[in-house]
Amino acid sequence: MSVIEDSISLAFDSNINDVFITGDLNLDTIKTASNQNNSDICQQLTIGQIILEPTHYTANSSSIIYLVFTSNKIVFFSAGR
């Protein structure tokens, strides 16, 4: 298990109902390998990744590296209203 997976697991083991994990995790979810790893982690821990559009741009590419994971998408989306 990776350091990121360990950290996410620790957050869930804390018995907090709504877990939000944010940051520049350098897991580019546009790239196939990173996206598969991300999907596996999300599925294993029953969390969702909120950010779906690129968050980082260069002259030749774009990537989704600033991520927001949550265990409760409903609370996340309703908080912005």
Side-chain angles (χ1 to χ4, degrees), residues 5-42:
E5 290 172 292
D6 286 341
S7 297
I8 294 170
S9 292
L10 285 172
F12 279 92
D13 290 344
S14 67
N15 294 322
I16 296 171
N17 291 331
D18 299 322
V19 174
F20 295 92
I21 301 156
T22 64
D24 178 355
L25 302 179
N26 285 327
L27 292 172
D28 181 5
T29 60
I30 292 177
K31 292 182 180 174
T32 304
S34 293
N35 192 31
Q36 183 60 50
N37 187 41
N38 179 33
S39 295
D40 291 346
I41 294 168
C42 288

